[in-house]
Amino acid sequence: GRSWNSEWSVKNISINNCAVIGEKGKHEIKAYGTGDNNVHDCVGGFISGCAGSHNTEYSVIQNSYIEGYSIEGYNAGGIIGRTTNRPAYLKNLYVKDCDIIANNDNSKQGGIVGYSNQNLSGYNLATYNVNYLKRNGDNTEDNTANAGFILGGNYENKQQDKFIGIGAYHTDDAKVPANVVKTNSTNSSNFFVYADYLSASAADIT
């Protein structure tokens, strides 16, 4: 669901030891808006949008995974579609065998988070055989070049993104985004530490 507005937004969100398991080609999570609104058309495997007031504290999502789903929206992420006004802490998460589909040319799409304007940090974050696509009528086309394998987009790169033990794996190397965070500029405070080549990261939470 989506939280928005200072009167009724939740103070924090905590998700632990959860799994969303589907069969690719049969199961989808989709925003059914007009496709051009970055607030109402966000979508994620666990949370579509965290957009509470400036008094909200944080979100923690850990020890969880999603596999076998199509996830489609304006801001689309494997775990969270869009997060604003609160930092998020992401721990021991993976997204596997999913299609993340942007429904607009201005959409943001990321393997873990679609869009964020707040600080993000986490460890043991991985994607396995995740495809990044863009909606074109009834069909989809490859959109890997415009995605980030952790975060799809941020707000003028003013936030800090710090991730340790991250990895993106695909049977087709060309379908792994070149960027951890897809953005037009660089925040010197950001840092990313990759997992080992044996793909040990996140493997113990299945």
Side-chain angles (χ1 to χ4, degrees):
R2 179 174 65 91
S3 60
W4 181 261
N5 182 304
S6 60
E7 279 83 34
W8 50 268
S9 60
V10 296
K11 192 168 186 178
N12 54 57
I13 293 175
S14 178
I15 296 175
N16 187 26
N17 288 321
C18 291
V20 179
I21 302 172
E23 184 176 347
K24 193 170 182 178
K26 292 186 177 181
H27 297 96
E28 69 174 15
I29 302 171
K30 185 175 182 179
Y32 281 95
T34 60
D36 59 3
N37 188 297
N38 69 344
V39 175
H40 304 296
D41 296 330
C42 49
V43 63
F46 284 87
I47 300 171
S48 63
C50 300
S53 74
H54 290 281
N55 294 321
T56 54
E57 293 184 350
Y58 57 84
S59 299
V60 177
I61 305 176
Q62 58 188 341
N63 305 320
S64 300
Y65 66 94
I66 179 172
E67 61 180 57
Y69 268 81
S70 168
I71 301 168
E72 180 175 351
Y74 184 93
N75 290 319
I79 301 295
I80 300 174
R82 177 179 186 264
T83 179
T84 62
N85 298 337
R86 75 175 78 215
Y89 305 98
L90 311 169
K91 310 172 184 179
N92 297 324
L93 305 173
Y94 73 81
V95 180
K96 181 178 180 182
D97 296 333
C98 289
D99 291 340
I100 298 178
I101 304 171
N103 64 8
N104 186 284
D105 287 340
N106 297 316
S107 297
K108 308 298 183 185
Q109 58 189 146
I112 303 296
V113 179
Y115 170 86
S116 176
N117 71 0
Q118 292 294 301
N119 295 342
L120 296 177
S121 62
Y123 56 83
N124 280 2
L125 308 174
T127 63
Y128 302 91
N129 291 324
V130 172
N131 299 312
Y132 302 88
L133 307 169
K134 183 174 72 173
R135 173 64 58 190
N136 184 3
D138 292 333
N139 301 310
T140 58
E141 57 192 42
D142 183 74
N143 201 41
T144 306
N146 295 311
F149 78 78
I150 297 294
L151 173 62
N154 53 23
Y155 179 69
E156 297 179 354
N157 207 38
K158 294 180 178 180
Q159 71 208 50
Q160 294 181 6
D161 300 313
K162 300 180 178 181
F163 307 118
I164 298 173
I166 58 175
Y169 311 94
H170 202 292
T171 53
D172 182 352
D173 289 343
K175 294 187 177 181
V176 175
N179 299 285
V180 177
V181 176
K182 181 63 176 176
T183 183
N184 294 322
S185 57
T186 301
N187 186 327
S188 60
S189 297
N190 291 352
F191 68 82
F192 312 126
V193 179
Y194 290 83
D196 65 272
Y197 75 98
L198 293 176
S199 184
S201 173
D204 60 347
I205 65 171
T206 56

